[in-house]
Coordinates of all heavy atoms in Angstrom, one line a residue:
M1 N 35.6 -3.1 33.0 CA 35.2 -2.2 31.9 C 33.7 -2.0 32.0 O 32.9 -3.0 32.0 CB 35.7 -2.9 30.6 CG 35.1 -2.2 29.4 SD 35.9 -2.7 27.9 CE 34.8 -3.9 27.3
D2 N 33.2 -0.8 32.0 CA 31.8 -0.5 31.9 C 31.4 -0.4 30.4 O 32.1 0.2 29.6 CB 31.5 0.8 32.6 CG 31.7 0.7 34.1 OD1 31.5 -0.4 34.6 OD2 32.0 1.7 34.7
L3 N 30.3 -0.9 30.1 CA 29.7 -0.8 28.8 C 28.3 -0.3 28.8 O 27.5 -0.7 29.6 CB 29.7 -2.2 28.2 CG 29.1 -2.4 26.8 CD1 29.9 -1.6 25.7 CD2 29.0 -3.8 26.4
T4 N 28.1 0.7 28.0 CA 26.7 1.3 27.9 C 26.2 1.1 26.5 O 26.9 1.5 25.5 CB 26.7 2.8 28.2 OG1 27.3 3.0 29.5 CG2 25.3 3.4 28.2
I5 N 25.1 0.5 26.3 CA 24.5 0.4 25.0 C 23.4 1.5 24.8 O 22.5 1.6 25.6 CB 23.8 -1.0 24.9 CG1 24.9 -2.1 25.0 CG2 23.1 -1.1 23.5 CD1 24.4 -3.5 25.0
V6 N 23.6 2.2 23.8 CA 22.7 3.3 23.5 C 21.9 3.0 22.2 O 22.5 2.7 21.2 CB 23.5 4.6 23.3 CG1 22.6 5.8 23.0 CG2 24.4 4.9 24.5
P7 N 20.6 3.0 22.3 CA 19.8 2.7 21.1 C 20.0 3.8 20.1 O 20.1 5.0 20.4 CB 18.4 2.6 21.6 CG 18.4 3.4 22.9 CD 19.8 3.3 23.4
A8 N 19.9 3.5 18.8 CA 20.0 4.5 17.7 C 19.1 4.1 16.6 O 18.6 2.9 16.5 CB 21.5 4.5 17.2
L9 N 18.8 5.0 15.8 CA 18.0 4.8 14.6 C 18.8 3.9 13.6 O 20.0 4.0 13.4 CB 17.7 6.1 13.8 CG 16.6 7.0 14.4 CD1 16.6 8.3 13.6 CD2 15.3 6.3 14.4
S10 N 18.0 3.0 13.0 CA 18.6 2.2 11.9 C 18.5 3.0 10.6 O 17.6 3.9 10.5 CB 17.8 0.9 11.8 OG 18.0 0.3 10.5
F11 N 19.3 2.7 9.6 CA 19.2 3.4 8.3 C 17.8 3.0 7.7 O 17.3 3.8 7.0 CB 20.3 3.0 7.4 CG 20.1 1.6 6.7 CD1 19.5 1.6 5.4 CD2 20.5 0.5 7.3 CE1 19.4 0.3 4.8 CE2 20.3 -0.8 6.7 CZ 19.7 -0.8 5.4
L12 N 17.2 1.9 8.1 CA 15.9 1.5 7.6 C 14.8 2.5 8.1 O 14.0 2.9 7.3 CB 15.6 0.1 8.0 CG 16.5 -1.0 7.4 CD1 16.2 -2.3 8.1 CD2 16.2 -1.0 5.9
D13 N 14.9 2.9 9.4 CA 13.9 3.9 9.9 C 14.0 5.2 9.1 O 12.9 5.7 8.7 CB 14.2 4.2 11.3 CG 14.1 3.0 12.3 OD1 13.1 2.3 12.1 OD2 14.9 2.8 13.1
L14 N 15.2 5.6 8.7 CA 15.3 6.8 7.9 C 14.8 6.6 6.5 O 14.2 7.5 5.9 CB 16.8 7.3 7.9 CG 17.3 7.7 9.3 CD1 18.8 8.0 9.2 CD2 16.6 9.0 9.8
A15 N 15.1 5.4 6.0 CA 14.7 5.1 4.6 C 13.2 5.1 4.4 O 12.7 5.7 3.5 CB 15.3 3.8 4.1
W16 N 12.5 4.5 5.4 CA 11.1 4.4 5.3 C 10.5 5.8 5.4 O 9.5 6.2 4.7 CB 10.5 3.5 6.4 CG 11.0 2.2 6.4 CD1 11.3 1.5 7.6 CD2 11.4 1.3 5.3 NE1 11.8 0.2 7.3 CE2 11.9 0.1 5.9 CE3 11.3 1.4 4.0 CZ2 12.3 -1.0 5.1 CZ3 11.7 0.3 3.2 CH2 12.2 -0.9 3.8
E17 N 11.0 6.7 6.2 CA 10.5 8.0 6.4 C 10.8 8.8 5.1 O 9.9 9.5 4.6 CB 11.2 8.7 7.6 CG 10.6 10.0 8.0 CD 11.1 11.2 7.2 OE1 12.3 11.2 6.7 OE2 10.3 12.1 7.0
R18 N 12.0 8.8 4.6 CA 12.3 9.5 3.3 C 11.4 9.0 2.2 O 11.1 9.8 1.3 CB 13.8 9.4 3.0 CG 14.8 9.9 4.0 CD 14.6 11.3 4.5 NE 15.7 11.7 5.3 CZ 15.7 11.6 6.6 NH1 14.7 11.1 7.3 NH2 16.8 12.1 7.3
L19 N 11.2 7.8 2.1 CA 10.4 7.2 1.0 C 8.9 7.4 1.2 O 8.1 7.3 0.3 CB 10.6 5.7 0.8 CG 12.1 5.4 0.4 CD1 12.3 3.9 0.5 CD2 12.3 5.9 -1.0
G20 N 8.5 7.7 2.5 CA 7.1 8.0 2.8 C 6.2 6.7 2.7 O 5.1 6.8 2.2
I21 N 6.8 5.6 3.1 CA 6.0 4.3 3.0 C 6.1 3.5 4.3 O 7.0 3.7 5.1 CB 6.5 3.4 1.9 CG1 8.0 3.0 2.1 CG2 6.4 4.1 0.5 CD1 8.5 1.9 1.2
D22 N 5.1 2.7 4.5 CA 5.1 1.7 5.5 C 5.6 0.4 4.9 O 4.9 -0.2 4.0 CB 3.6 1.5 6.1 CG 3.5 0.4 7.1 OD1 4.4 -0.4 7.2 OD2 2.5 0.4 7.8
P23 N 6.7 -0.1 5.2 CA 7.3 -1.2 4.6 C 6.5 -2.5 4.7 O 6.5 -3.3 3.8 CB 8.7 -1.4 5.2 CG 8.5 -0.7 6.5 CD 7.6 0.4 6.3
L24 N 5.8 -2.7 5.8 CA 5.0 -3.9 5.9 C 3.7 -3.8 5.0 O 3.4 -4.8 4.4 CB 4.6 -4.0 7.4 CG 5.7 -4.3 8.4 CD1 5.2 -4.4 9.8 CD2 6.5 -5.5 8.0
D25 N 3.1 -2.6 5.0 CA 1.9 -2.4 4.2 C 2.3 -2.6 2.7 O 1.5 -3.1 1.9 CB 1.3 -1.1 4.5 CG 0.0 -0.9 3.7 OD1 -0.9 -1.8 3.8 OD2 -0.2 0.2 3.1
A26 N 3.4 -2.0 2.3 CA 3.9 -2.1 0.9 C 4.5 -3.4 0.5 O 4.6 -3.7 -0.7 CB 4.9 -0.9 0.6
G27 N 4.8 -4.2 1.5 CA 5.4 -5.5 1.1 C 6.8 -5.4 0.7 O 7.3 -6.2 -0.2
V28 N 7.6 -4.5 1.2 CA 8.9 -4.3 0.7 C 9.8 -5.4 1.2 O 9.7 -5.9 2.3 CB 9.5 -2.9 1.3 CG1 11.0 -2.7 0.9 CG2 8.7 -1.8 0.8
R29 N 10.7 -5.8 0.3 CA 11.8 -6.8 0.7 C 13.1 -6.1 0.7 O 13.5 -5.4 -0.2 CB 11.8 -7.9 -0.4 CG 10.6 -8.8 -0.4 CD 10.7 -9.9 -1.3 NE 10.7 -9.4 -2.7 CZ 11.4 -10.0 -3.7 NH1 12.1 -11.1 -3.5 NH2 11.4 -9.5 -4.9
L30 N 13.9 -6.4 1.8 CA 15.2 -5.9 1.9 C 16.2 -6.9 1.4 O 16.2 -8.1 1.7 CB 15.5 -5.6 3.4 CG 17.0 -5.2 3.8 CD1 17.3 -3.8 3.1 CD2 17.1 -5.2 5.3
V31 N 17.0 -6.4 0.4 CA 18.0 -7.4 -0.2 C 19.4 -6.7 -0.2 O 19.5 -5.5 -0.2 CB 17.6 -7.7 -1.7 CG1 16.3 -8.4 -1.7 CG2 17.6 -6.5 -2.6
D32 N 20.4 -7.6 -0.1 CA 21.8 -7.1 -0.1 C 22.2 -7.1 -1.6 O 22.0 -8.0 -2.4 CB 22.6 -8.2 0.6 CG 24.0 -7.7 0.8 OD1 24.7 -7.4 -0.3 OD2 24.5 -7.7 1.9
A33 N 22.8 -5.9 -2.0 CA 23.3 -5.7 -3.3 C 24.2 -6.9 -3.8 O 24.1 -7.3 -5.0 CB 23.9 -4.4 -3.5
E34 N 25.0 -7.4 -3.0 CA 25.9 -8.4 -3.4 C 25.2 -9.7 -3.6 O 25.8 -10.6 -4.3 CB 27.1 -8.6 -2.4 CG 28.0 -7.4 -2.3 CD 29.4 -7.7 -2.2 OE1 29.8 -8.9 -2.4 OE2 30.2 -6.8 -1.8
Q35 N 24.1 -9.9 -3.1 CA 23.3 -11.1 -3.3 C 22.0 -10.9 -4.1 O 21.1 -11.6 -4.1 CB 22.9 -11.7 -1.9 CG 24.0 -11.9 -0.9 CD 25.0 -12.9 -1.4 OE1 24.6 -13.9 -1.9 NE2 26.3 -12.6 -1.2
F36 N 22.0 -9.8 -4.9 CA 20.9 -9.3 -5.5 C 20.2 -10.4 -6.4 O 19.0 -10.7 -6.2 CB 21.2 -8.1 -6.4 CG 20.0 -7.5 -7.0 CD1 19.2 -6.6 -6.3 CD2 19.7 -7.7 -8.4 CE1 18.1 -6.0 -6.9 CE2 18.6 -7.1 -9.0 CZ 17.8 -6.3 -8.2
A37 N 20.9 -11.0 -7.3 CA 20.3 -12.0 -8.2 C 19.7 -13.1 -7.5 O 18.5 -13.5 -7.9 CB 21.4 -12.5 -9.2
E38 N 20.3 -13.6 -6.5 CA 19.7 -14.8 -5.7 C 18.5 -14.3 -4.9 O 17.5 -15.1 -4.8 CB 20.8 -15.4 -4.8 CG 22.0 -15.9 -5.5 CD 23.1 -14.9 -5.8 OE1 23.1 -13.8 -5.1 OE2 23.9 -15.1 -6.7
Q39 N 18.6 -13.1 -4.3 CA 17.5 -12.7 -3.4 C 16.2 -12.2 -4.1 O 15.2 -12.2 -3.5 CB 18.0 -11.7 -2.4 CG 19.0 -12.2 -1.5 CD 19.5 -11.2 -0.5 OE1 19.2 -10.1 -0.5 NE2 20.4 -11.7 0.4
V40 N 16.3 -11.8 -5.4 CA 15.1 -11.3 -6.1 C 14.6 -12.3 -7.1 O 13.6 -12.0 -7.8 CB 15.4 -9.9 -6.7 CG1 15.8 -8.9 -5.7 CG2 16.4 -10.0 -7.8
S41 N 15.3 -13.4 -7.3 CA 14.9 -14.3 -8.4 C 13.5 -14.9 -8.2 O 12.8 -15.2 -9.2 CB 15.9 -15.5 -8.5 OG 15.9 -16.2 -7.3
N42 N 13.0 -15.0 -7.0 CA 11.6 -15.6 -6.8 C 10.8 -14.6 -6.0 O 10.9 -14.5 -4.8 CB 11.7 -17.0 -6.1 CG 12.5 -16.9 -4.8 OD1 13.0 -15.9 -4.4 ND2 12.6 -18.1 -4.2
G43 N 10.0 -13.8 -6.7 CA 9.2 -12.9 -6.0 C 9.1 -11.6 -6.7 O 9.9 -11.2 -7.6
R44 N 8.1 -10.8 -6.4 CA 7.8 -9.5 -7.0 C 7.5 -8.5 -5.9 O 7.4 -8.9 -4.8 CB 6.6 -9.6 -8.0 CG 6.6 -10.7 -9.0 CD 7.2 -10.5 -10.3 NE 6.8 -9.3 -11.1 CZ 7.6 -8.8 -12.0 NH1 8.8 -9.3 -12.2 NH2 7.3 -7.8 -12.8
G45 N 7.5 -7.3 -6.3 CA 7.2 -6.2 -5.4 C 8.3 -5.3 -5.2 O 9.4 -5.5 -5.7
P46 N 8.1 -4.3 -4.3 CA 9.1 -3.3 -4.1 C 10.3 -3.8 -3.3 O 10.2 -4.7 -2.5 CB 8.4 -2.2 -3.3 CG 7.2 -2.8 -2.8 CD 6.9 -4.0 -3.6
L47 N 11.5 -3.3 -3.7 CA 12.7 -3.7 -3.0 C 13.5 -2.6 -2.4 O 13.4 -1.5 -3.0 CB 13.7 -4.4 -4.0 CG 13.2 -5.5 -4.9 CD1 14.2 -5.8 -6.0 CD2 13.0 -6.7 -4.0
L48 N 14.1 -2.8 -1.3 CA 15.1 -1.9 -0.8 C 16.4 -2.6 -0.9 O 16.6 -3.6 -0.2 CB 14.8 -1.4 0.7 CG 15.9 -0.5 1.2 CD1 15.9 0.9 0.5 CD2 15.7 -0.3 2.7
V49 N 17.3 -2.1 -1.8 CA 18.6 -2.8 -2.0 C 19.6 -2.1 -1.2 O 19.9 -0.9 -1.4 CB 19.0 -2.8 -3.5 CG1 20.3 -3.6 -3.7 CG2 17.8 -3.4 -4.3
A50 N 20.2 -2.8 -0.2 CA 21.2 -2.2 0.7 C 22.6 -2.6 0.3 O 22.8 -3.6 -0.4 CB 20.9 -2.6 2.1
Q51 N 23.6 -1.8 0.8 CA 25.0 -2.1 0.6 C 25.4 -2.0 -0.9 O 26.2 -2.8 -1.4 CB 25.4 -3.5 1.1 CG 25.0 -3.7 2.6 CD 25.7 -2.6 3.5 OE1 26.8 -2.2 3.3 NE2 25.0 -2.3 4.6
C52 N 25.0 -0.9 -1.6 CA 25.4 -0.6 -3.0 C 26.6 0.2 -2.9 O 26.5 1.5 -3.0 CB 24.2 0.1 -3.7 SG 22.7 -0.9 -3.8
W53 N 27.8 -0.4 -2.7 CA 29.0 0.4 -2.4 C 29.9 0.7 -3.6 O 30.9 1.3 -3.4 CB 29.7 -0.3 -1.3 CG 30.0 -1.8 -1.6 CD1 29.2 -2.8 -1.2 CD2 31.1 -2.3 -2.3 NE1 29.7 -4.0 -1.6 CE2 30.9 -3.7 -2.3 CE3 32.2 -1.8 -2.9 CZ2 31.7 -4.6 -2.9 CZ3 33.0 -2.7 -3.5 CH2 32.8 -4.1 -3.5
S54 N 29.5 0.2 -4.8 CA 30.4 0.5 -5.9 C 29.6 0.6 -7.2 O 28.5 0.1 -7.4 CB 31.4 -0.7 -6.1 OG 30.8 -1.8 -6.6
Q55 N 30.2 1.3 -8.2 CA 29.5 1.5 -9.5 C 29.3 0.2 -10.2 O 28.3 0.0 -10.8 CB 30.3 2.5 -10.3 CG 30.1 4.0 -9.8 CD 30.7 5.0 -10.7 OE1 31.6 4.7 -11.5 NE2 30.3 6.2 -10.6
P56 N 30.3 -0.7 -10.2 CA 30.1 -2.0 -10.9 C 28.9 -2.8 -10.3 O 28.1 -3.4 -11.0 CB 31.4 -2.7 -10.7 CG 32.4 -1.7 -10.6 CD 31.7 -0.6 -9.8
L57 N 28.8 -2.7 -9.0 CA 27.7 -3.4 -8.3 C 26.3 -2.7 -8.7 O 25.4 -3.5 -9.0 CB 27.9 -3.3 -6.8 CG 27.0 -4.2 -5.9 CD1 27.1 -5.6 -6.3 CD2 27.4 -4.0 -4.5
L58 N 26.3 -1.4 -8.7 CA 25.0 -0.7 -9.2 C 24.7 -1.1 -10.6 O 23.6 -1.3 -11.0 CB 25.2 0.8 -9.0 CG 25.0 1.3 -7.6 CD1 25.4 2.8 -7.5 CD2 23.6 1.1 -7.1
S59 N 25.8 -1.1 -11.5 CA 25.6 -1.5 -12.9 C 25.0 -2.9 -13.0 O 24.1 -3.1 -13.9 CB 26.9 -1.4 -13.6 OG 26.7 -1.7 -15.0
E60 N 25.5 -3.8 -12.2 CA 25.0 -5.2 -12.3 C 23.5 -5.2 -11.9 O 22.7 -5.9 -12.6 CB 25.8 -6.1 -11.3 CG 25.5 -7.5 -11.4 CD 26.3 -8.3 -10.4 OE1 27.5 -8.1 -10.4 OE2 25.8 -9.2 -9.7
I61 N 23.1 -4.5 -10.9 CA 21.7 -4.4 -10.5 C 20.9 -3.8 -11.7 O 19.8 -4.3 -12.0 CB 21.5 -3.7 -9.2 CG1 22.2 -4.5 -8.1 CG2 20.1 -3.3 -8.9 CD1 22.3 -3.7 -6.8
K62 N 21.4 -2.7 -12.2 CA 20.7 -2.0 -13.3 C 20.4 -2.9 -14.5 O 19.4 -2.9 -15.1 CB 21.5 -0.8 -13.7 CG 20.9 0.0 -14.9 CD 21.8 1.1 -15.3 CE 21.3 1.8 -16.6 NZ 22.2 2.8 -17.1
L63 N 21.4 -3.7 -14.8 CA 21.3 -4.6 -16.0 C 20.6 -5.9 -15.7 O 20.5 -6.7 -16.6 CB 22.7 -4.9 -16.5 CG 23.5 -3.6 -17.0 CD1 24.9 -4.0 -17.4 CD2 22.7 -3.0 -18.2
S64 N 20.1 -6.1 -14.5 CA 19.4 -7.3 -14.1 C 18.1 -7.4 -15.0 O 17.7 -6.4 -15.6 CB 19.0 -7.3 -12.7 OG 18.0 -6.4 -12.4
S65 N 17.5 -8.5 -14.9 CA 16.3 -8.7 -15.7 C 15.0 -8.4 -15.0 O 14.0 -9.0 -15.3 CB 16.3 -10.2 -16.2 OG 16.3 -11.1 -15.1
L66 N 15.1 -7.6 -14.0 CA 13.9 -7.2 -13.2 C 12.8 -6.5 -14.1 O 11.6 -6.7 -13.9 CB 14.2 -6.3 -12.0 CG 14.7 -7.0 -10.8 CD1 15.0 -6.0 -9.7 CD2 13.8 -8.1 -10.3
Y67 N 13.3 -5.6 -15.0 CA 12.3 -4.9 -15.8 C 12.3 -5.5 -17.2 O 13.3 -5.6 -17.9 CB 12.7 -3.4 -15.9 CG 11.8 -2.6 -16.8 CD1 10.5 -2.5 -16.5 CD2 12.3 -2.0 -17.9 CE1 9.6 -1.8 -17.3 CE2 11.5 -1.2 -18.7 CZ 10.1 -1.1 -18.4 OH 9.3 -0.4 -19.2
D68 N 11.1 -6.0 -17.6 CA 11.0 -6.7 -18.8 C 10.7 -5.8 -20.0 O 10.5 -6.3 -21.2 CB 9.9 -7.8 -18.7 CG 8.6 -7.2 -18.4 OD1 8.4 -6.0 -18.4 OD2 7.7 -8.0 -18.1
G69 N 10.7 -4.5 -19.9 CA 10.5 -3.6 -21.0 C 9.0 -3.3 -21.2 O 8.6 -2.5 -22.1
E70 N 8.1 -4.0 -20.5 CA 6.7 -3.8 -20.6 C 6.2 -2.8 -19.6 O 6.6 -2.8 -18.5 CB 6.0 -5.1 -20.4 CG 6.4 -6.3 -21.3 CD 5.7 -6.2 -22.7 OE1 4.6 -5.8 -22.7 OE2 6.4 -6.6 -23.6
G71 N 5.3 -1.9 -20.1 CA 4.7 -1.0 -19.1 C 5.6 0.2 -18.8 O 6.7 0.3 -19.3
P72 N 5.2 1.0 -17.8 CA 6.0 2.1 -17.4 C 7.3 1.7 -16.7 O 7.4 0.6 -16.1 CB 5.1 2.9 -16.4 CG 4.1 1.9 -15.9 CD 4.0 0.9 -17.0
V73 N 8.3 2.5 -16.9 CA 9.6 2.3 -16.2 C 9.4 2.4 -14.7 O 8.9 3.4 -14.3 CB 10.7 3.3 -16.7 CG1 12.0 3.1 -15.9 CG2 10.9 3.1 -18.2
P74 N 9.8 1.5 -13.9 CA 9.6 1.6 -12.5 C 10.5 2.7 -11.9 O 11.6 3.0 -12.4 CB 10.1 0.2 -11.9 CG 10.9 -0.4 -13.0 CD 10.5 0.2 -14.3
E75 N 10.0 3.3 -10.8 CA 10.8 4.4 -10.2 C 11.9 3.8 -9.3 O 11.7 2.7 -8.7 CB 9.9 5.2 -9.3 CG 10.6 6.3 -8.6 CD 9.7 7.1 -7.6 OE1 9.0 6.5 -6.9 OE2 9.9 8.4 -7.7
V76 N 13.0 4.4 -9.4 CA 14.2 4.0 -8.5 C 14.5 5.2 -7.7 O 14.6 6.3 -8.2 CB 15.4 3.6 -9.4 CG1 16.6 3.4 -8.6 CG2 15.1 2.4 -10.3
V77 N 14.8 5.0 -6.4 CA 15.1 6.1 -5.5 C 16.5 5.7 -4.9 O 16.6 4.7 -4.3 CB 14.1 6.3 -4.4 CG1 14.5 7.5 -3.5 CG2 12.7 6.5 -5.0
L78 N 17.5 6.6 -5.1 CA 18.8 6.4 -4.6 C 18.8 7.1 -3.2 O 18.6 8.3 -3.2 CB 19.9 7.0 -5.5 CG 19.9 6.3 -6.9 CD1 20.9 7.1 -7.8 CD2 20.3 4.9 -6.8
L79 N 19.2 6.4 -2.2 CA 19.3 7.0 -0.8 C 20.8 6.9 -0.4 O 21.4 5.8 -0.4 CB 18.5 6.2 0.1 CG 17.0 6.0 -0.2 CD1 16.3 5.0 0.7 CD2 16.3 7.3 -0.1
H80 N 21.3 8.1 -0.1 CA 22.8 8.1 0.1 C 23.0 8.9 1.4 O 22.5 10.0 1.6 CB 23.5 8.8 -1.0 CG 25.0 9.0 -0.9 ND1 25.8 7.9 -1.0 CD2 25.7 10.1 -0.7 CE1 27.0 8.3 -0.9 NE2 27.0 9.6 -0.7
H81 N 23.8 8.3 2.3 CA 24.2 8.9 3.6 C 23.0 9.5 4.4 O 23.0 10.6 4.9 CB 25.2 10.1 3.3 CG 26.6 9.6 3.1 ND1 27.6 10.4 2.8 CD2 27.1 8.3 3.0 CE1 28.7 9.7 2.6 NE2 28.4 8.4 2.7
L82 N 22.0 8.7 4.5 CA 20.8 9.1 5.3 C 21.2 9.6 6.7 O 21.9 8.9 7.4 CB 19.7 8.0 5.3 CG 19.2 7.6 4.0 CD1 18.1 6.5 4.2 CD2 18.5 8.8 3.3
G83 N 20.6 10.7 7.1 CA 20.9 11.2 8.4 C 22.1 12.0 8.6 O 22.4 12.6 9.7
L84 N 22.9 12.1 7.5 CA 24.2 12.9 7.6 C 24.0 14.2 6.8 O 23.0 14.4 6.1 CB 25.3 12.1 7.0 CG 25.6 10.8 7.6 CD1 26.7 10.0 6.9 CD2 26.0 11.0 9.1
E85 N 24.9 15.1 7.0 CA 24.8 16.4 6.4 C 24.8 16.4 4.9 O 24.1 17.2 4.2 CB 26.0 17.3 6.8 CG 25.9 17.8 8.3 CD 27.0 18.8 8.6 OE1 27.6 19.4 7.7 OE2 27.2 18.9 9.8
D86 N 25.4 15.4 4.3 CA 25.5 15.3 2.8 C 24.4 14.3 2.3 O 24.6 13.7 1.2 CB 26.9 14.9 2.3 CG 27.4 13.6 2.8 OD1 26.8 13.1 3.9 OD2 28.3 13.0 2.2
E87 N 23.4 14.0 3.1 CA 22.3 13.1 2.7 C 21.8 13.5 1.3 O 21.6 14.7 1.0 CB 21.2 13.2 3.7 CG 19.9 12.4 3.3 CD 18.8 12.5 4.3 OE1 19.1 12.3 5.5 OE2 17.7 12.7 3.8
Q88 N 21.5 12.5 0.5 CA 20.9 12.7 -0.8 C 19.8 11.7 -1.1 O 19.9 10.5 -0.8 CB 21.9 12.5 -1.9 CG 23.1 13.5 -1.8 CD 24.1 13.3 -2.9 OE1 23.8 12.9 -4.0 NE2 25.3 13.6 -2.6
V89 N 18.7 12.2 -1.6 CA 17.5 11.3 -2.0 C 17.2 11.7 -3.5 O 16.8 12.8 -3.7 CB 16.3 11.6 -1.1 CG1 15.1 10.8 -1.6 CG2 16.6 11.3 0.3
V90 N 17.5 10.8 -4.4 CA 17.4 11.1 -5.8 C 16.4 10.1 -6.4 O 16.6 8.9 -6.4 CB 18.8 11.0 -6.5 CG1 18.6 11.3 -8.0 CG2 19.8 11.9 -5.8
R91 N 15.4 10.7 -7.0 CA 14.3 9.8 -7.7 C 14.6 9.8 -9.2 O 14.7 10.9 -9.8 CB 12.9 10.3 -7.4 CG 12.6 10.3 -5.9 CD 11.2 10.8 -5.6 NE 10.9 10.8 -4.2 CZ 10.4 9.7 -3.6 NH1 10.2 8.6 -4.3 NH2 10.2 9.7 -2.3
V92 N 14.6 8.6 -9.8 CA 14.8 8.5 -11.2 C 13.8 7.4 -11.7 O 13.4 6.6 -11.0 CB 16.2 8.1 -11.6 CG1 17.2 9.2 -11.2 CG2 16.7 6.8 -10.9
G93 N 13.5 7.4 -13.0 CA 12.6 6.5 -13.6 C 11.2 6.8 -13.3 O 10.9 7.9 -12.8
G94 N 10.3 6.0 -13.7 CA 8.9 6.2 -13.5 C 8.4 7.4 -14.3 O 7.4 8.0 -14.0
G95 N 9.1 7.8 -15.4 CA 8.8 8.9 -16.2 C 9.2 10.2 -15.7 O 9.0 11.2 -16.4
T96 N 9.8 10.3 -14.6 CA 10.3 11.6 -14.0 C 11.7 11.4 -13.5 O 12.2 10.3 -13.2 CB 9.4 12.1 -12.9 OG1 9.5 11.1 -11.8 CG2 8.0 12.2 -13.3
S97 N 12.4 12.5 -13.3 CA 13.7 12.5 -12.6 C 13.8 13.8 -11.8 O 13.8 14.9 -12.3 CB 14.8 12.5 -13.7 OG 16.0 12.5 -13.0
T98 N 13.7 13.6 -10.5 CA 13.8 14.8 -9.6 C 14.9 14.4 -8.5 O 15.1 13.3 -8.2 CB 12.5 15.1 -8.9 OG1 12.1 13.9 -8.1 CG2 11.4 15.4 -9.9
A99 N 15.6 15.5 -8.0 CA 16.6 15.3 -7.0 C 16.3 16.2 -5.9 O 16.0 17.4 -6.0 CB 18.0 15.5 -7.6
R100 N 16.4 15.7 -4.6 CA 16.3 16.5 -3.4 C 17.6 17.3 -3.2 O 17.5 18.3 -2.5 CB 16.0 15.5 -2.3 CG 15.7 16.2 -1.0 CD 15.1 15.3 0.0 NE 15.7 15.5 1.3 CZ 15.3 14.9 2.4 NH1 14.4 14.0 2.3 NH2 15.8 15.2 3.5
S101 N 18.7 16.8 -3.7 CA 20.0 17.5 -3.5 C 20.8 17.1 -4.7 O 20.3 16.5 -5.7 CB 20.7 17.1 -2.2 OG 20.9 15.7 -2.2
G102 N 22.1 17.5 -4.7 CA 23.0 17.3 -5.9 C 23.1 15.8 -6.3 O 22.7 14.9 -5.6
P103 N 23.8 15.6 -7.4 CA 24.0 14.2 -7.8 C 24.9 13.4 -6.9 O 25.8 14.0 -6.2 CB 24.7 14.4 -9.2 CG 25.4 15.7 -9.1 CD 24.5 16.6 -8.2
I104 N 24.7 12.1 -6.9 CA 25.5 11.2 -6.1 C 26.8 11.0 -6.8 O 26.8 10.6 -8.0 CB 24.8 9.9 -5.8 CG1 23.6 10.2 -5.0 CG2 25.7 8.9 -5.2 CD1 22.7 9.0 -4.7
T105 N 27.9 11.2 -6.2 CA 29.3 11.0 -6.8 C 30.0 9.9 -6.0 O 29.7 9.6 -4.9 CB 30.1 12.3 -6.8 OG1 30.2 12.8 -5.5 CG2 29.4 13.3 -7.7

């Protein structure tokens, strides 16, 4: 059996490009949505939360105690199907709400 390994872009490469940030410079932490509470309990800074596959999981993250109600509401960017025809980048919070394409369903 012949096997050929073909390199491909990671979803992370697409995410950094869509967000317009250098993850190392910004100090971004990658966390798994299912391990959200444990992975963000000690530390501050921007997060990229991956594997948000259900509404209950997103709701749990939304209701977390990350935002203490002080100061401006932090911006949240929903990234959906990056690199595919139905890709969506939706920015919410931070005092604004803009969408690059239709709502995520």
Side-chain angles (χ1 to χ4, degrees):
M1 171 167 96
D2 290 331
L3 176 67
T4 303
I5 298 175
V6 179
L9 282 176
S10 162
F11 82 96
L12 293 171
D13 296 314
L14 295 171
W16 307 139
E17 191 277 328
R18 300 307 188 268
L19 294 169
I21 63 170
D22 175 342
L24 296 177
D25 186 51
V28 177
R29 292 184 294 146
L30 175 63
V31 298
D32 185 305
E34 294 220 15
Q35 307 296 318
F36 186 79
E38 297 84 22
Q39 292 182 357
V40 301
S41 63
N42 53 359
R44 309 272 307 157
L47 304 170
L48 178 66
V49 183
Q51 305 300 326
C52 299
W53 51 269
S54 72
Q55 287 185 341
L57 192 55
L58 283 170
S59 181
E60 185 177 318
I61 292 168
K62 176 184 173 186
L63 297 173
S64 73
S65 61
L66 280 182
Y67 179 60
D68 60 10
E70 303 279 327
V73 176
E75 181 181 45
V76 174
V77 182
L78 301 173
L79 305 170
H80 180 72
H81 283 180
L82 296 180
L84 301 177
E85 287 184 20
D86 62 341
E87 174 180 311
Q88 296 179 34
V89 177
V90 181
R91 296 178 180 276
V92 295
T96 63
S97 178
T98 60
R100 187 169 138 174
S101 61
I104 294 176
T105 56

